[in-house]
Amino acid sequence: MNEKEFGAELKNAFDSVTPDIRDSVLSDCKKKGKVIKMESSNTKKKRPALRIAAAVAAALLLLAAAPFAIKAFMGQKHTAVASVMIDVNPSIEMTVDKDERVIEAIPRNTDGAVLLEGMDLSGSKVSVALDAIIGSLVRKGYLNELANSVLISVNGEDLDLCARLRETLSIDAAALLNTSDFGYAVMSQQIEADENVSRIAEDYGITTSKAQLIYSLHELNTHYELSSLAALSINELGLLYGKKADGAIETKGASSDRSFIGEEAALAIAYGDAGITPEEAADTEIELDLENGVMVYDIEFRANGVEHDYEIDAVTGAILRHDTENEGAAPTETAPVNTPEATPAPEYIGRKAALRAAYEHAGVSEDSVYDVEIETDRENGRLVYEIEFKSGAKEYEYTVDALTGEILHHECESQHTDKPTAKPTAKPTPKPTAKPNSSSYIGRTAALNAALDHAGVSVDAVHDIEIELDRENGKAVYEVEFSVGKTEYDYTVDAVTGEILAHSSEGGHSGHHSGGGSIDLIGEARAWEIALNKAKLTMEDITEKEIELDHENGVYSYELEFRSGKYEYEVKINAVTGAVMRFEKELDD
């Protein structure tokens, strides 16, 4: 199959499973008190989710089966003249030659490595590679009804080529995502060399493309704190950017606001607190905004001779601020007890200071460390730096508070004997690019075969196979689980070398004690019912759900994980009694 045929087949795969049967539906918005909406968009008739899923699967299958000219391409010397960056949460960078072919696809974070697993995009047209990446983003759940925004950034000296790539790729991405049932927002920009952007990327541990989006947004609205913007997702940044037409960023579609309570609910809360009906409100304005690091609805209206100004938490609906002003009188302010003080958002210590704190705690010098990795993350509502590094024959892991520099967690362990016991001559740069490219991973099938060979069983004898790409102690690994009869096996396999790093097995627990006595489990359906009742949710409210039966210290339990809106839930339920053993709910920004 040549490249032209492959591109046509890829497009046909999407077209065949997502026929263009979309009808535009115009919503008739009845406004009370002259409500001024920030933005509006056409609603589309929902399509079955299986259509886009089938399209994605078809695209990836075609990609894996298309060896067009890759060997010949890689055998020649190619010069990168531009780079294309894709940001959602996974971040991918593709270097491109003058013929708009991909030289290399580079993951810029861990999720990017997971996204690219099994895909070799080298030699393909960048437009075809983008289709495959978008497909993988949808298939793996990174693009969904709660977060539907993609940022495409182009960089290079040939401005005409960059402008052409920016336009064609954003159109392609929008056309592809237009077949989904969750809408889309495709933002595009051209990267320019700027010290401010580089400093933002360095300080907050984010990609240059996201840093430029943040800088552009900050320039449009200087009351936004950079630290607060850096903690937001691409989708939330897209909501803030909205329809602002400054020329730097072009947006097609609209970012999803389904993880928020919505303008209607926010207005109802404000009207209710003010003790008025919607009919009594006049000159109403509502806008989604960012205040002190919190996404809020900023609402203004007049009623009965009083001007009201509200800030309402866009996720929880809590009233964060309420100002009133009688016409012709000085303003007054009332606020609930739990309202945060209107102080500027805090400035975080930055990655360099976090590294210094970790080195000082570990008692090592900066010159002695290597294989340094640092990422910004959020734990229990606070922003932290996750740091990994090596010094001598030891590996260190640190979690550092991004605001105070406090060491929240640390681990230290000796390396395996096959790892270097001294600092290498050339210290690798502490950037995500130092991680192995996903193209060097052995793949899930090879990882499973390695585990089966070690266990001495054939693939025909196993069942309940689960394989997941993960990171442990700074290296990519495959977590492989499977069962043979009533025996369960658990393997950790090096994703690059195929080495068995850890393994365990235990007797089956499918309804029986190891001693042979029977035991009745409540079952997965009942476990879900109990967990969702505890969380006050329904099955329709949740996404990314997982359930696993566990056996520890003689107790059988169901471990459930799921998401709803911006929250992650972990629930542990006694598999015999149905008692809730652990319930955790955490905001995930």
Side-chain angles (χ1 to χ4, degrees), residues 184-209:
Y184 68 90
V186 177
M187 296 175 283
S188 62
Q189 63 181 1
Q190 185 161 334
I191 298 290
E192 298 177 359
D194 189 296
E195 291 183 0
N196 294 314
V197 172
S198 299
R199 185 172 61 252
I200 293 170
E202 175 69 19
D203 287 347
Y204 301 108
I206 58 179
T207 60
T208 303
S209 46

PDB file of all heavy atoms in Angstrom, residues 184-209:
ATOM      1  N   TYR A 184     -16.151  19.882  19.588  1.00  0.00           N
ATOM      2  CA  TYR A 184     -14.696  20.021  19.521  1.00  0.00           C
ATOM      3  C   TYR A 184     -14.312  21.485  19.631  1.00  0.00           C
ATOM      4  O   TYR A 184     -15.122  22.399  19.406  1.00  0.00           O
ATOM      5  CB  TYR A 184     -14.162  19.456  18.201  1.00  0.00           C
ATOM      6  CG  TYR A 184     -14.585  20.267  16.992  1.00  0.00           C
ATOM      7  CD1 TYR A 184     -13.814  21.318  16.521  1.00  0.00           C
ATOM      8  CD2 TYR A 184     -15.792  19.999  16.349  1.00  0.00           C
ATOM      9  CE1 TYR A 184     -14.216  22.080  15.439  1.00  0.00           C
ATOM     10  CE2 TYR A 184     -16.209  20.739  15.258  1.00  0.00           C
ATOM     11  CZ  TYR A 184     -15.411  21.782  14.813  1.00  0.00           C
ATOM     12  OH  TYR A 184     -15.827  22.547  13.745  1.00  0.00           O
ATOM     13  N   ALA A 185     -13.065  21.715  19.993  1.00  0.00           N
ATOM     14  CA  ALA A 185     -12.439  23.033  19.903  1.00  0.00           C
ATOM     15  C   ALA A 185     -11.015  22.793  19.435  1.00  0.00           C
ATOM     16  O   ALA A 185     -10.259  22.084  20.100  1.00  0.00           O
ATOM     17  CB  ALA A 185     -12.459  23.758  21.241  1.00  0.00           C
ATOM     18  N   VAL A 186     -10.666  23.335  18.296  1.00  0.00           N
ATOM     19  CA  VAL A 186      -9.305  23.218  17.771  1.00  0.00           C
ATOM     20  C   VAL A 186      -8.684  24.609  17.771  1.00  0.00           C
ATOM     21  O   VAL A 186      -9.118  25.494  17.036  1.00  0.00           O
ATOM     22  CB  VAL A 186      -9.296  22.624  16.354  1.00  0.00           C
ATOM     23  CG1 VAL A 186      -7.866  22.589  15.816  1.00  0.00           C
ATOM     24  CG2 VAL A 186      -9.901  21.230  16.349  1.00  0.00           C
ATOM     25  N   MET A 187      -7.696  24.804  18.630  1.00  0.00           N
ATOM     26  CA  MET A 187      -6.962  26.067  18.685  1.00  0.00           C
ATOM     27  C   MET A 187      -5.638  25.892  17.951  1.00  0.00           C
ATOM     28  O   MET A 187      -5.006  24.840  18.068  1.00  0.00           O
ATOM     29  CB  MET A 187      -6.710  26.477  20.129  1.00  0.00           C
ATOM     30  CG  MET A 187      -7.966  26.771  20.926  1.00  0.00           C
ATOM     31  SD  MET A 187      -7.626  27.125  22.676  1.00  0.00           S
ATOM     32  CE  MET A 187      -7.333  25.458  23.268  1.00  0.00           C
ATOM     33  N   SER A 188      -5.236  26.905  17.222  1.00  0.00           N
ATOM     34  CA  SER A 188      -3.960  26.820  16.493  1.00  0.00           C
ATOM     35  C   SER A 188      -3.183  28.118  16.677  1.00  0.00           C
ATOM     36  O   SER A 188      -3.762  29.198  16.789  1.00  0.00           O
ATOM     37  CB  SER A 188      -4.201  26.544  15.007  1.00  0.00           C
ATOM     38  OG  SER A 188      -4.930  27.597  14.399  1.00  0.00           O
ATOM     39  N   GLN A 189      -1.853  27.976  16.696  1.00  0.00           N
ATOM     40  CA  GLN A 189      -0.985  29.133  16.882  1.00  0.00           C
ATOM     41  C   GLN A 189       0.372  28.857  16.260  1.00  0.00           C
ATOM     42  O   GLN A 189       0.731  27.703  16.015  1.00  0.00           O
ATOM     43  CB  GLN A 189      -0.807  29.441  18.379  1.00  0.00           C
ATOM     44  CG  GLN A 189      -0.126  28.326  19.155  1.00  0.00           C
ATOM     45  CD  GLN A 189       0.030  28.606  20.633  1.00  0.00           C
ATOM     46  OE1 GLN A 189      -0.388  29.648  21.128  1.00  0.00           O
ATOM     47  NE2 GLN A 189       0.636  27.682  21.366  1.00  0.00           N
ATOM     48  N   GLN A 190       1.112  29.918  15.985  1.00  0.00           N
ATOM     49  CA  GLN A 190       2.482  29.772  15.504  1.00  0.00           C
ATOM     50  C   GLN A 190       3.426  30.188  16.619  1.00  0.00           C
ATOM     51  O   GLN A 190       3.300  31.268  17.198  1.00  0.00           O
ATOM     52  CB  GLN A 190       2.723  30.625  14.259  1.00  0.00           C
ATOM     53  CG  GLN A 190       4.114  30.411  13.661  1.00  0.00           C
ATOM     54  CD  GLN A 190       4.203  30.883  12.223  1.00  0.00           C
ATOM     55  OE1 GLN A 190       3.201  30.929  11.524  1.00  0.00           O
ATOM     56  NE2 GLN A 190       5.398  31.239  11.789  1.00  0.00           N
ATOM     57  N   ILE A 191       4.372  29.289  16.945  1.00  0.00           N
ATOM     58  CA  ILE A 191       5.319  29.553  18.031  1.00  0.00           C
ATOM     59  C   ILE A 191       6.378  30.552  17.554  1.00  0.00           C
ATOM     60  O   ILE A 191       6.931  30.422  16.461  1.00  0.00           O
ATOM     61  CB  ILE A 191       6.006  28.254  18.481  1.00  0.00           C
ATOM     62  CG1 ILE A 191       4.976  27.263  19.017  1.00  0.00           C
ATOM     63  CG2 ILE A 191       7.067  28.543  19.528  1.00  0.00           C
ATOM     64  CD1 ILE A 191       4.356  27.655  20.320  1.00  0.00           C
ATOM     65  N   GLU A 192       6.655  31.522  18.383  1.00  0.00           N
ATOM     66  CA  GLU A 192       7.707  32.484  18.094  1.00  0.00           C
ATOM     67  C   GLU A 192       8.679  32.524  19.268  1.00  0.00           C
ATOM     68  O   GLU A 192       8.285  32.336  20.417  1.00  0.00           O
ATOM     69  CB  GLU A 192       7.107  33.877  17.859  1.00  0.00           C
ATOM     70  CG  GLU A 192       6.152  33.936  16.667  1.00  0.00           C
ATOM     71  CD  GLU A 192       5.528  35.302  16.507  1.00  0.00           C
ATOM     72  OE1 GLU A 192       5.836  36.192  17.335  1.00  0.00           O
ATOM     73  OE2 GLU A 192       4.735  35.486  15.571  1.00  0.00           O
ATOM     74  N   ALA A 193       9.939  32.764  18.966  1.00  0.00           N
ATOM     75  CA  ALA A 193      10.955  32.828  20.024  1.00  0.00           C
ATOM     76  C   ALA A 193      10.653  34.004  20.946  1.00  0.00           C
ATOM     77  O   ALA A 193      10.524  35.144  20.493  1.00  0.00           O
ATOM     78  CB  ALA A 193      12.343  32.976  19.403  1.00  0.00           C
ATOM     79  N   ASP A 194      10.508  33.717  22.229  1.00  0.00           N
ATOM     80  CA  ASP A 194      10.177  34.756  23.191  1.00  0.00           C
ATOM     81  C   ASP A 194      10.708  34.341  24.558  1.00  0.00           C
ATOM     82  O   ASP A 194      10.392  33.255  25.044  1.00  0.00           O
ATOM     83  CB  ASP A 194       8.654  34.962  23.245  1.00  0.00           C
ATOM     84  CG  ASP A 194       8.266  36.181  24.065  1.00  0.00           C
ATOM     85  OD1 ASP A 194       8.542  36.180  25.278  1.00  0.00           O
ATOM     86  OD2 ASP A 194       7.682  37.119  23.498  1.00  0.00           O
ATOM     87  N   GLU A 195      11.502  35.204  25.185  1.00  0.00           N
ATOM     88  CA  GLU A 195      12.079  34.877  26.485  1.00  0.00           C
ATOM     89  C   GLU A 195      10.998  34.678  27.541  1.00  0.00           C
ATOM     90  O   GLU A 195      11.134  33.838  28.433  1.00  0.00           O
ATOM     91  CB  GLU A 195      13.035  35.988  26.922  1.00  0.00           C
ATOM     92  CG  GLU A 195      14.307  36.068  26.089  1.00  0.00           C
ATOM     93  CD  GLU A 195      15.262  37.132  26.603  1.00  0.00           C
ATOM     94  OE1 GLU A 195      14.918  37.790  27.613  1.00  0.00           O
ATOM     95  OE2 GLU A 195      16.340  37.302  26.005  1.00  0.00           O
ATOM     96  N   ASN A 196       9.923  35.450  27.473  1.00  0.00           N
ATOM     97  CA  ASN A 196       8.844  35.317  28.453  1.00  0.00           C
ATOM     98  C   ASN A 196       8.193  33.941  28.376  1.00  0.00           C
ATOM     99  O   ASN A 196       7.919  33.303  29.392  1.00  0.00           O
ATOM    100  CB  ASN A 196       7.791  36.404  28.230  1.00  0.00           C
ATOM    101  CG  ASN A 196       8.314  37.793  28.513  1.00  0.00           C
ATOM    102  OD1 ASN A 196       8.968  38.025  29.524  1.00  0.00           O
ATOM    103  ND2 ASN A 196       8.040  38.728  27.618  1.00  0.00           N
ATOM    104  N   VAL A 197       7.969  33.478  27.134  1.00  0.00           N
ATOM    105  CA  VAL A 197       7.348  32.166  26.937  1.00  0.00           C
ATOM    106  C   VAL A 197       8.278  31.066  27.437  1.00  0.00           C
ATOM    107  O   VAL A 197       7.848  30.125  28.118  1.00  0.00           O
ATOM    108  CB  VAL A 197       6.995  31.956  25.458  1.00  0.00           C
ATOM    109  CG1 VAL A 197       6.524  30.520  25.208  1.00  0.00           C
ATOM    110  CG2 VAL A 197       5.911  32.946  25.023  1.00  0.00           C
ATOM    111  N   SER A 198       9.561  31.183  27.121  1.00  0.00           N
ATOM    112  CA  SER A 198      10.532  30.173  27.567  1.00  0.00           C
ATOM    113  C   SER A 198      10.607  30.119  29.083  1.00  0.00           C
ATOM    114  O   SER A 198      10.712  29.034  29.670  1.00  0.00           O
ATOM    115  CB  SER A 198      11.916  30.489  26.986  1.00  0.00           C
ATOM    116  OG  SER A 198      11.888  30.465  25.576  1.00  0.00           O
ATOM    117  N   ARG A 199      10.547  31.261  29.737  1.00  0.00           N
ATOM    118  CA  ARG A 199      10.620  31.292  31.197  1.00  0.00           C
ATOM    119  C   ARG A 199       9.373  30.656  31.820  1.00  0.00           C
ATOM    120  O   ARG A 199       9.465  29.939  32.815  1.00  0.00           O
ATOM    121  CB  ARG A 199      10.767  32.732  31.683  1.00  0.00           C
ATOM    122  CG  ARG A 199      10.983  32.829  33.198  1.00  0.00           C
ATOM    123  CD  ARG A 199      11.327  34.230  33.646  1.00  0.00           C
ATOM    124  NE  ARG A 199      10.263  35.175  33.341  1.00  0.00           N
ATOM    125  CZ  ARG A 199      10.336  36.103  32.392  1.00  0.00           C
ATOM    126  NH1 ARG A 199      11.431  36.199  31.647  1.00  0.00           N
ATOM    127  NH2 ARG A 199       9.332  36.928  32.171  1.00  0.00           N
ATOM    128  N   ILE A 200       8.200  30.901  31.223  1.00  0.00           N
ATOM    129  CA  ILE A 200       6.963  30.295  31.724  1.00  0.00           C
ATOM    130  C   ILE A 200       7.041  28.773  31.615  1.00  0.00           C
ATOM    131  O   ILE A 200       6.690  28.044  32.554  1.00  0.00           O
ATOM    132  CB  ILE A 200       5.744  30.829  30.949  1.00  0.00           C
ATOM    133  CG1 ILE A 200       5.533  32.312  31.244  1.00  0.00           C
ATOM    134  CG2 ILE A 200       4.480  30.042  31.303  1.00  0.00           C
ATOM    135  CD1 ILE A 200       4.508  32.978  30.350  1.00  0.00           C
ATOM    136  N   ALA A 201       7.507  28.285  30.471  1.00  0.00           N
ATOM    137  CA  ALA A 201       7.631  26.839  30.275  1.00  0.00           C
ATOM    138  C   ALA A 201       8.589  26.230  31.287  1.00  0.00           C
ATOM    139  O   ALA A 201       8.323  25.154  31.847  1.00  0.00           O
ATOM    140  CB  ALA A 201       8.099  26.543  28.848  1.00  0.00           C
ATOM    141  N   GLU A 202       9.698  26.909  31.551  1.00  0.00           N
ATOM    142  CA  GLU A 202      10.701  26.402  32.493  1.00  0.00           C
ATOM    143  C   GLU A 202      10.184  26.445  33.931  1.00  0.00           C
ATOM    144  O   GLU A 202      10.327  25.478  34.692  1.00  0.00           O
ATOM    145  CB  GLU A 202      11.981  27.235  32.373  1.00  0.00           C
ATOM    146  CG  GLU A 202      13.064  26.893  33.385  1.00  0.00           C
ATOM    147  CD  GLU A 202      13.688  25.531  33.150  1.00  0.00           C
ATOM    148  OE1 GLU A 202      13.551  25.016  32.021  1.00  0.00           O
ATOM    149  OE2 GLU A 202      14.303  24.996  34.085  1.00  0.00           O
ATOM    150  N   ASP A 203       9.569  27.554  34.318  1.00  0.00           N
ATOM    151  CA  ASP A 203       9.123  27.727  35.700  1.00  0.00           C
ATOM    152  C   ASP A 203       8.027  26.747  36.090  1.00  0.00           C
ATOM    153  O   ASP A 203       7.992  26.267  37.236  1.00  0.00           O
ATOM    154  CB  ASP A 203       8.630  29.151  35.932  1.00  0.00           C
ATOM    155  CG  ASP A 203       9.769  30.156  35.980  1.00  0.00           C
ATOM    156  OD1 ASP A 203      10.927  29.718  36.087  1.00  0.00           O
ATOM    157  OD2 ASP A 203       9.498  31.372  35.903  1.00  0.00           O
ATOM    158  N   TYR A 204       7.127  26.452  35.153  1.00  0.00           N
ATOM    159  CA  TYR A 204       5.961  25.643  35.504  1.00  0.00           C
ATOM    160  C   TYR A 204       6.000  24.241  34.904  1.00  0.00           C
ATOM    161  O   TYR A 204       5.048  23.483  35.039  1.00  0.00           O
ATOM    162  CB  TYR A 204       4.678  26.374  35.090  1.00  0.00           C
ATOM    163  CG  TYR A 204       4.550  27.725  35.751  1.00  0.00           C
ATOM    164  CD1 TYR A 204       4.716  28.894  35.018  1.00  0.00           C
ATOM    165  CD2 TYR A 204       4.322  27.819  37.121  1.00  0.00           C
ATOM    166  CE1 TYR A 204       4.638  30.137  35.636  1.00  0.00           C
ATOM    167  CE2 TYR A 204       4.238  29.056  37.737  1.00  0.00           C
ATOM    168  CZ  TYR A 204       4.399  30.214  36.994  1.00  0.00           C
ATOM    169  OH  TYR A 204       4.327  31.427  37.617  1.00  0.00           O
ATOM    170  N   GLY A 205       7.112  23.888  34.265  1.00  0.00           N
ATOM    171  CA  GLY A 205       7.267  22.528  33.768  1.00  0.00           C
ATOM    172  C   GLY A 205       6.246  22.145  32.729  1.00  0.00           C
ATOM    173  O   GLY A 205       5.718  21.028  32.752  1.00  0.00           O
ATOM    174  N   ILE A 206       5.936  23.055  31.798  1.00  0.00           N
ATOM    175  CA  ILE A 206       4.944  22.784  30.753  1.00  0.00           C
ATOM    176  C   ILE A 206       5.602  22.945  29.387  1.00  0.00           C
ATOM    177  O   ILE A 206       6.728  23.425  29.273  1.00  0.00           O
ATOM    178  CB  ILE A 206       3.736  23.737  30.875  1.00  0.00           C
ATOM    179  CG1 ILE A 206       4.188  25.203  30.792  1.00  0.00           C
ATOM    180  CG2 ILE A 206       2.976  23.486  32.173  1.00  0.00           C
ATOM    181  CD1 ILE A 206       3.064  26.203  30.872  1.00  0.00           C
ATOM    182  N   THR A 207       4.901  22.531  28.340  1.00  0.00           N
ATOM    183  CA  THR A 207       5.444  22.642  26.996  1.00  0.00           C
ATOM    184  C   THR A 207       5.476  24.101  26.552  1.00  0.00           C
ATOM    185  O   THR A 207       4.717  24.942  27.049  1.00  0.00           O
ATOM    186  CB  THR A 207       4.590  21.847  25.993  1.00  0.00           C
ATOM    187  OG1 THR A 207       3.258  22.368  25.992  1.00  0.00           O
ATOM    188  CG2 THR A 207       4.555  20.374  26.366  1.00  0.00           C
ATOM    189  N   THR A 208       6.343  24.379  25.601  1.00  0.00           N
ATOM    190  CA  THR A 208       6.435  25.741  25.066  1.00  0.00           C
ATOM    191  C   THR A 208       5.125  26.163  24.423  1.00  0.00           C
ATOM    192  O   THR A 208       4.726  27.334  24.504  1.00  0.00           O
ATOM    193  CB  THR A 208       7.571  25.823  24.035  1.00  0.00           C
ATOM    194  OG1 THR A 208       8.794  25.410  24.654  1.00  0.00           O
ATOM    195  CG2 THR A 208       7.739  27.230  23.506  1.00  0.00           C
ATOM    196  N   SER A 209       4.448  25.225  23.776  1.00  0.00           N
ATOM    197  CA  SER A 209       3.187  25.550  23.115  1.00  0.00           C
ATOM    198  C   SER A 209       2.126  25.973  24.122  1.00  0.00           C
ATOM    199  O   SER A 209       1.412  26.960  23.926  1.00  0.00           O
ATOM    200  CB  SER A 209       2.704  24.358  22.278  1.00  0.00           C
ATOM    201  OG  SER A 209       2.810  23.152  23.001  1.00  0.00           O
TER     202      SER A 209
END
